[in-house]
């Protein structure tokens, strides 16, 4: 009797299970629970699906359920019930929920292409669509695919069929995302940084979306748009522009809405001029300008997303000098003024070839205006157009294209060739003074 009072869980007659000391059962149960949870399979997760419960949920009779599904082989020595067999069939054939997402993304891409959106606008638009779908799914507002995903992860180590289906699902997802990432790279003229492939980038985007979904599910109060922001940061950190290593992409995404004040713009312009005058254009960098101007890097990036955009501040002083000299020649003959202006522009551009190259790169980076607003008028182009019109006896508008083409040709020639200023000026002047072709059937002048 003393032995009986000091033990619990006494074994039934003929049982081989030993008796244990009182108070020692709880740790053993904990260990058993840990082993069972670690070895969980889909059959374990679906054990709550009984015939009666499934009949109640579906409105069918138990007989109808048994006629549609029969018990089958389960994990190890256990048998799978009819409801568990049905659950496995449904679970392993769960459809993709990406159709609506694909349609929305295609519509968004058409919009950004037609409206000539900037790279930041393109990425924000598309990641915003994907992020919204991920967050809605994680909150259970658009199907149960993230529930399905979480359950698959829970049993994948121990359930071969689930593991294979999960792997196949990832392959399908990645195939779709590779196409999307490739299109985004093309639209934004970006490429993966050295050492990364498009597939590597795709894996990162998918994984960060899943990580964001986990955070949303674990924290229902997670701020809307968090998943999109996470994807934007990954994209900015792992890609660069094709034509220039843009190390401020992260800041442009993070601080795209920041607008520099007039005072900050003035200090930035002054810093650019001081550095260029002291050390040359090659020494002008975003970091040096930000430090000398005493402005936050985010404010500087809102003015100049790359160092090339700073060229406009230095070039404006050059334009001012050219215009002052041009005004001093206003009493000379029109042909002389045109020739001298062309020569002056050529001299100024060839003396600052690297500055002009940056100026042109900034223009190419920005592309055509997408807001309908016209580009600020170039004083040199305006003056040259007026002089050409006066020489030909026509209105300035008819000569604007000739003037714009001539100035652009001088800038490109200075930046992209080793031609001298005299050579460039001679070629452009000859073209500007060439008579316009007469209409068909009319003789020459």
């Amino acid at each position: 009797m003393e032995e009986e009072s000091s033990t619990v869980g006494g074994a039934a007659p003929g049982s081989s299970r030993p008796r244990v000391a009182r108070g020692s059962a709880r740790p053993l149960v904990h260990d058993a629970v840990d082993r069972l949870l670690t070895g969980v399979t889909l059959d374990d997760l679906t054990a709550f699906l009984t015939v009666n419960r499934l009949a109640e949920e579906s409105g069918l009779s138990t007989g109808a359920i048994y006629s549609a599904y029969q018990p089958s082989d389960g994990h190890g020595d256990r048998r799978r019930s009819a409801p568990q067999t049905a659950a496995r069939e449904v679970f392993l054939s769960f459809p993709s929920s990406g159709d609506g997402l694909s349609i929305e993304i295609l519509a968004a891409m058409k919009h950004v292409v037609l409206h000539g959106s900037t790279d930041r606008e393109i990425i924000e638009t598309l990641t915003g669509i994907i992020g919204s779908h991920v967050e809605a799914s994680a909150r259970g507002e658009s199907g149960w695919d993230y529930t399905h995903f979480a359950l698959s992860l829970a049993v994948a180590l121990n359930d071969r069929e689930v593991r294979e289906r999960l792997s196949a699902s990832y392959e399908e997802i990645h195939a779709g995302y590779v196409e999307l990432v490739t299109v985004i790279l093309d639209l934004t003229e970006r490429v993966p940084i050295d050492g990364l492939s498009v597939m590597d980038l795709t894996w990162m985007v998918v994984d960060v979306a899943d990580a964001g979904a986990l955070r949303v599910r674990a924290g229902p109060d997670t701020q809307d748009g968090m998943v999109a922001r996470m994807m934007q940061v990954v994209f900015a950190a792992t890609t660069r522009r094709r034509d220039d290593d843009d190390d401020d992409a992260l800041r442009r995404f993070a601080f795209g809405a920041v607008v520099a004040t007039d005072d900050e713009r003035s200090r930035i312009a002054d810093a650019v001029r001081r550095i260029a005058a002291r050390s040359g254009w090659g020494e002008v960098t975003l970091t040096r300008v930000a430090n000398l101007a005493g402005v936050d890097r985010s404010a500087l990036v809102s003015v100049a997303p790359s160092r090339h955009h700073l060229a406009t501040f230095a070039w404006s002083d050059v334009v001012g000098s050219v215009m002052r000299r041009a005004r001093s020649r206003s009493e000379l003959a029109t042909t002389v003024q045109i020739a001298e202006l062309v020569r002056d522009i050529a001299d100024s551009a060839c003396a600052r070839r690297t500055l002009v190259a940056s100026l042109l790169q900034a223009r190419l980076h920005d592309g055509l205006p997408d807001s309908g607003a016209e580009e600020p008028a170039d004083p040199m182009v305006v003056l040259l157009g007026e002089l050409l019109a006066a020489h030909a006896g026509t209105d300035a508008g008819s000569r604007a294209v000739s003037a714009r083409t001539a100035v652009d040709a001088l800038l490109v020639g200075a930046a992209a060739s080793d031609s001298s200023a005299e050579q460039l000026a001679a070629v452009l002047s000859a073209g500007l003074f060439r008579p316009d072709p007469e209409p068909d059937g009319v003789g020459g002048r």
Side-chain angles (χ1 to χ4, degrees):
M1 294 295 295
E2 276 185 27
E3 183 178 351
E4 285 291 326
S5 64
S6 62
T7 60
V8 295
S15 172
S16 61
R17 294 180 181 176
R19 294 174 132 186
V20 297
R22 187 179 298 277
S24 63
R26 187 179 292 270
L28 294 175
V29 170
H30 285 185
D31 290 343
V33 169
D34 182 65
R35 288 192 299 273
L36 290 171
L37 288 177
T38 302
V40 68
T41 68
L42 182 59
D43 294 334
D44 296 315
L45 295 184
T46 57
F48 72 96
L49 291 175
T50 63
V51 173
N52 288 334
R53 187 168 185 178
L54 192 56
E56 181 180 353
E57 185 71 22
S58 66
L60 298 172
S61 66
T62 57
I65 294 173
Y66 275 120
S67 66
Y69 293 95
Q70 295 296 318
S72 61
D73 292 335
H75 184 70
D77 297 332
R78 288 175 290 173
R79 293 277 289 169
R80 188 176 296 133
S81 69
Q84 286 176 311
T85 301
R88 181 167 290 266
E89 178 183 290
V90 172
F91 196 91
L92 296 178
S93 61
F94 189 77
S96 170
S97 62
D99 291 343
L101 176 61
S102 299
I103 293 172
E104 193 171 345
I105 288 175
L106 286 174
M109 286 196 299
K110 290 180 181 178
H111 175 80
V112 299
V113 169
L114 289 175
H115 290 77
S117 304
T118 63
D119 57 352
R120 185 171 63 86
E121 292 169 339
I122 291 170
I123 296 172
E124 284 182 345
T125 297
L126 298 181
T127 56
I129 293 171
I130 298 170
S132 296
H133 276 264
V134 169
E135 291 175 7
S137 179
R139 292 189 173 104
E141 299 168 358
S142 62
W144 59 296
D145 48 352
Y146 267 104
T147 297
H148 180 267
F149 175 68
L151 292 176
S152 297
L153 287 178
V155 303
L157 288 176
N158 310 307
D159 199 309
R160 179 182 56 80
E161 286 185 307
V162 174
R163 182 170 61 253
E164 291 175 351
R165 181 66 186 95
L166 182 62
S167 177
S169 295
Y170 257 116
E171 292 300 323
E172 295 170 10
I173 292 170
H174 286 138
Y177 269 76
V178 164
E179 294 183 11
L180 176 60
V181 168
T182 300
V183 170
I184 296 177
L185 289 171
D186 287 341
L187 289 176
T188 57
E189 297 186 353
R190 301 184 74 85
V191 293
I193 59 176
D194 294 343
L196 287 184
S197 66
V198 174
M199 179 57 76
D200 295 329
L201 178 56
T202 300
W203 274 91
M204 292 181 182
V205 172
V206 172
D207 289 347
V208 79
D210 290 340
L214 177 63
R215 169 53 51 195
V216 171
R217 177 151 298 196
D221 295 331
T222 301
Q223 185 177 11
D224 290 344
M226 185 272 296
V227 174
R229 180 58 59 87
M230 289 171 63
M231 288 191 288
Q232 291 163 18
V233 170
V234 167
F235 195 87
T238 56
T239 65
R240 62 173 177 81
R241 285 192 59 82
R242 290 173 181 166
D243 55 355
D244 187 60
D245 288 337
D246 181 7
D247 59 355
D248 278 293
L250 284 171
R251 289 184 176 274
R252 291 194 294 115
F253 282 121
F255 303 107
V258 173
V259 178
T261 65
D262 290 341
D263 178 64
E264 288 173 327
R265 291 183 66 89
S266 177
R267 282 151 50 196
I268 290 169
D270 182 60
V272 170
R273 294 180 178 112
R274 289 168 60 187
I275 296 173
R278 182 176 63 245
S279 307
W281 173 249
E283 297 301 313
V284 176
T285 66
L286 290 170
T287 299
R288 288 185 176 182
V289 170
N291 291 339
L292 184 58
V295 301
D296 187 83
R297 187 65 173 260
S298 59
L300 176 59
V301 170
S302 74
V303 174
S306 75
R307 72 176 292 271
H308 300 304
H309 288 76
L310 297 171
T312 56
F313 296 111
W315 183 247
S316 65
D317 291 343
V318 177
V319 173
S321 298
V322 170
M323 294 301 295
R324 284 192 293 273
R325 290 190 291 270
R327 285 193 290 270
S328 71
R329 297 188 292 264
S330 60
E331 299 301 322
L332 300 178
T334 302
T335 54
V336 175
Q337 291 188 59
I338 293 173
E340 290 298 319
L341 177 59
V342 170
R343 185 177 295 109
D344 200 356
I345 297 174
D347 286 338
S348 299
C350 288
R352 302 167 180 82
R353 294 181 190 270
T354 56
L355 173 63
V356 173
S358 285
L359 183 72
L360 296 176
Q361 287 195 56
R363 290 180 181 176
L364 290 173
H365 175 280
D366 291 338
L368 296 174
D370 60 356
S371 61
E374 295 183 0
E375 285 187 275
D378 184 333
M380 298 186 303
V381 172
V382 173
L383 176 58
L384 183 57
E386 292 173 350
L387 292 173
L388 290 172
H391 171 67
T394 59
D395 66 280
S398 66
R399 293 293 175 167
V401 174
S402 297
R404 175 79 271 174
T405 302
V407 172
D408 284 347
L410 284 172
L411 297 181
V412 172
S417 74
D418 56 1
S419 300
S420 67
E422 291 75 12
Q423 291 172 325
L424 291 175
V427 170
L428 265 296
S429 293
L432 290 173
F433 287 121
R434 182 177 299 142
D436 289 336
E438 294 289 345
D440 291 343
V442 180
R445 292 176 182 173

